[in-house]
Amino acid sequence: MKLCIFTIVARNYLPLALTLADSVRTHHPGVDFRIVVVDGLDGLPEQGYSHRLVALDDYLDDSFEPLKFKYNITEFCTSVKAHLFLRLLEETKADYCYYLDPDTWLFAPLDAIHSQAPGASVYLTPHLLHCQVDADHAYPEYKHLWEGIFNLGFCAVRSSPAALNFLQWWDKRLRESCYADHFDGLHTDQKWMDYAPAYLGDQLHILRLQGVNVAHWNLDERCLTEHGTGWQINGEPLILFHFSGFDFAGELLTRHAEPQRQQHYDSQALRKLAASYRQAVLSKGYAAHISIPYAFGRFNNGDAVTPLHRRLYRALGAGQWDQRPFAAQSRLHRALADARLMDNSPAAQRSHAAATLPSLGRLTKIAHRTLKLFLKLFGAARYAYLLKFFGKFSRPEQHVFLLETGPASHPNQKHR
């Protein structure tokens, strides 16, 4: 039986993938393990790595160029997952192919997973396994209703007709709609897997091994203990831990849960495991890599590609523009520049993250006073209409009118 294992990573997170690679080598020596780097191998601080690095472009054709622009870094990394499954299954002739997120760490062989259901075609892990009526999760259950029931930091497929058909369906959907978008109910590659039970039937194996894909979202139901020289989860062997949102600069287990809720993670075993992981990643050159800029974060003249640019490109469709969207000589760049939408501020270079908003508290107070005045002057009915208006125009896709001098001026253009 032949295994293939891969992970997908941008250059700045390469130390996480290298840490995973060390653990894979420990438990699967000689296995075909590939670190697929989405933004290429140029600009890395080291020339030689002890694990196999592959540039994503080695697996892509020109049809993927629009994806590099319309998706942000997380969306693009996940949009190529199904395509890579298909390519690697064909290339390696592996019986089973595993995808592991770069921020996972392997503690035991993966054989326990596929041997549990050798006839299945796809293997998935739900975020949660135990139905607890009065559960007090540090990471609330309702968040998974948008993110998806299954966590795609882990996924395995067996080479079979059912798997290949499902991967082709998934690949087509990810090329079109791999956005993290609350409005459309999309959460990158992950939300699509909610269809898996319906489409795959008994070809889907839902893993109930409690030691697989352990993470902040399920630690309320899974107790980590150290047992001799190994780790256990609720008495079962720990196989794969997922350090999603891990805090390398501080001491939090994850940035995705409220700090005041992280007492759920305050155990001696978890602190020891987290400290070991932090040290392992830091020793792989985390400080030197984390500042490497994303290769698809700028036009080829150095202008920043902002989230607004990506969403306007999405709304109008790649077919409206040149085949090389990152070119400064392209119609897209000219249209954005003519609309005064080019932004090279420090905030833009950090993708306008919430933390970059200046004086948010002061602006919120001003907004509150203004809205109260509007309510007083115009009444409750028009206030409700104003909220609906805000809801519509809070979507970047609704601002294509800013490019009215370019291809966006088509009166029948349909905006999502």
Side-chain angles (χ1 to χ4, degrees):
M1 183 197 63
K2 186 177 181 181
L3 287 184
C4 174
I5 307 171
F6 73 102
T7 190
I8 304 170
V9 70
R11 294 175 300 176
N12 64 327
Y13 267 34
L14 188 54
L16 284 71
L18 295 170
T19 302
L20 167 63
D22 283 349
S23 69
V24 170
R25 179 177 288 171
T26 296
H27 298 288
H28 288 282
V31 75
D32 189 337
F33 177 76
R34 305 186 189 192
I35 299 173
V36 181
V37 185
V38 295
D39 50 351
L41 306 182
D42 294 335
L44 294 175
E46 299 179 33
Q47 295 302 312
Y49 293 88
S50 59
H51 298 283
R52 184 177 183 183
L53 274 56
V54 185
L56 175 63
D57 277 348
D58 290 351
Y59 298 107
L60 304 184
D61 56 36
D62 288 346
S63 67
F64 282 87
E65 286 301 307
L67 277 65
K68 296 175 182 178
F69 194 93
K70 73 177 184 177
Y71 291 143
N72 65 30
I73 183 171
T74 301
E75 293 165 344
F76 183 58
C77 285
T78 52
S79 72
V80 297
K81 193 180 295 181
H83 175 74
L84 287 172
F85 265 118
L86 288 165
R87 286 292 304 271
L88 291 175
L89 282 170
E90 178 183 12
E91 179 181 326
T92 67
K93 308 303 180 186
D95 299 291
Y96 294 91
C97 187
Y98 278 81
Y99 169 80
L100 306 177
D101 259 1
D103 55 358
T104 57
W105 214 11
L106 194 62
F107 290 87
L110 295 165
D111 303 72
I113 294 171
H114 51 259
S115 63
Q116 192 177 64
S121 290
V122 177
Y123 303 77
L124 297 175
T125 54
H127 283 100
L128 297 168
L129 286 173
H130 303 293
C131 178
Q132 303 177 62
V133 176
D134 298 317
D136 182 28
H137 296 291
Y139 191 78
E141 287 172 312
Y142 71 82
K143 289 182 177 289
H144 305 310
L145 298 179
W146 169 57
E147 295 169 345
I149 300 303
F150 302 101
N151 180 264
L152 267 293
F154 163 90
C155 181
V157 300
R158 179 175 65 89
S159 183
S160 70
L164 296 177
N165 181 69
F166 187 72
L167 287 171
Q168 289 166 358
W169 168 84
W170 194 27
D171 178 35
K172 186 174 177 62
R173 300 305 177 271
L174 297 187
R175 295 190 194 207
E176 297 168 353
S177 300
C178 192
Y179 297 98
D181 188 335
H182 281 278
F183 286 91
D184 286 342
L186 297 171
H187 189 74
T188 63
D189 65 319
Q190 194 165 273
K191 183 66 174 179
W192 287 106
M193 277 298 169
D194 283 1
Y195 280 105
Y199 287 175
L200 287 167
D202 60 6
Q203 287 296 300
L204 170 66
H205 182 62
I206 298 175
L207 283 166
R208 302 194 68 83
L209 292 170
Q210 297 185 83
V212 179
N213 218 356
V214 182
H216 68 267
W217 53 76
N218 56 34
L219 280 169
D220 301 282
E221 64 178 26
R222 306 186 196 186
C223 179
L224 174 72
T225 56
E226 193 170 11
H227 184 74
T229 58
W231 300 91
Q232 291 188 341
I233 295 289
N234 292 355
E236 297 180 15
L238 173 61
I239 297 175
L240 185 72
F241 200 100
H242 192 163
F243 291 91
S244 176
F246 192 73
D247 180 13
F248 290 100
E251 296 184 351
L252 294 177
L253 181 71
T254 179
R255 299 184 305 274
H256 298 322
E258 296 294 332
Q260 62 270 24
R261 301 280 294 165
Q262 297 208 25
Q263 72 271 14
H264 290 253
Y265 313 137
D266 189 21
S267 73
Q268 182 177 352
L270 274 172
R271 287 195 300 272
K272 182 176 179 179
L273 183 67
S276 297
Y277 182 67
R278 183 177 288 108
Q279 179 57 39
V281 173
L282 293 178
S283 71
K284 292 294 183 183
Y286 179 84
H289 288 79
I290 194 61
S291 60
I292 298 175
Y294 181 46
F296 307 128
R298 293 184 177 277
F299 292 92
N300 63 7
N301 70 342
D303 287 340
V305 175
T306 70
L308 178 58
H309 297 164
R310 297 187 193 277
R311 290 308 179 97
L312 292 175
Y313 184 80
R314 168 197 184 183
L316 291 170
Q320 299 282 349
W321 307 105
D322 308 87
Q323 289 297 310
R324 301 293 177 183
F326 292 95
Q329 301 77 26
S330 67
R331 286 191 297 140
L332 172 63
H333 187 276
R334 290 198 301 270
L336 292 169
D338 290 345
R340 302 173 65 86
L341 288 173
M342 302 311 298
D343 181 2
N344 286 305
S345 67
Q349 294 170 29
R350 296 193 294 274
S351 297
H352 293 120
T356 68
L357 289 174
S359 307
L360 186 58
R362 181 176 61 84
L363 291 174
T364 300
K365 290 179 181 178
I366 293 173
H368 286 175
R369 289 197 295 268
T370 303
L371 291 171
K372 284 181 179 179
L373 179 61
F374 184 95
L375 175 62
K376 183 177 180 179
L377 292 175
F378 299 104
R382 293 192 178 183
Y383 191 87
Y385 296 151
L386 180 67
L387 295 182
K388 292 184 71 174
F389 180 84
F390 281 168
K392 176 179 180 180
F393 281 94
S394 65
R395 295 199 73 185
E397 288 84 350
Q398 294 296 335
H399 293 258
V400 292
F401 64 88
L402 296 171
L403 303 181
E404 59 186 5
T405 59
S409 57
H410 299 300
N412 296 323
Q413 177 66 44
K414 187 175 181 180
H415 306 314
R416 291 171 50 179

